[in-house]
């Protein structure tokens, strides 16, 4: 099964996305596409409150389900 199809089964769950530059973004997995994922975060450096963050798949090292 493809990584993206499997990841779609976890929509609505808490995840931690680790990027290729070693940054980690934690939040709720909102949407999964073949070239991106959208995570609703509670805290992102430089932002206040809840933000929807679009992350391109080419910069993702791995996704951990929390």
């Amino acid at each position: 099964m493809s990584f993206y199809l499997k990841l779609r089964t976890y929509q609505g769950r808490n995840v931690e996305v680790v990027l290729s530059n070693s940054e980690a973004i934690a939040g709720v997995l909102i949407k999964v596409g073949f070239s991106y994922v959208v995570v609703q975060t509670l805290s992102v450096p430089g932002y206040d409150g809840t933000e929807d963050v679009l992350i391109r798949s080419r910069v993702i090292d791995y996704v951990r389900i929390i």
Side-chain angles (χ1 to χ4, degrees), residues 1-15:
M1 181 183 288
S2 144
F3 168 76
Y4 299 104
L5 292 177
K6 188 172 184 177
L7 195 56
R8 283 183 182 173
T9 64
Y10 294 107
Q11 287 183 8
R13 300 212 25 215
N14 292 331
V15 296

Side-chain angles (χ1 to χ4, degrees), residues 17-25 55 58-61:
V17 180
V18 178
L19 308 178
S20 57
N21 63 359
S22 299
E23 285 186 52
I25 298 174
I55 306 165
R58 65 178 175 255
V59 300
I60 297 173
D61 269 354

Side-chain angles (χ1 to χ4, degrees), residues 4-51:
Y4 299 104
L5 292 177
K6 188 172 184 177
L7 195 56
R8 283 183 182 173
T9 64
Y10 294 107
Q11 287 183 8
R13 300 212 25 215
N14 292 331
V15 296
E16 181 179 44
V17 180
V18 178
L19 308 178
S20 57
N21 63 359
S22 299
E23 285 186 52
I25 298 174
V28 177
L29 184 63
I30 300 296
K31 187 173 182 180
V32 178
F34 284 104
S35 63
Y36 66 92
V37 297
V38 177
V39 176
Q40 184 179 47
T41 65
L42 295 177
S43 63
V44 175
Y47 295 99
D48 291 332
T50 304
E51 295 288 329

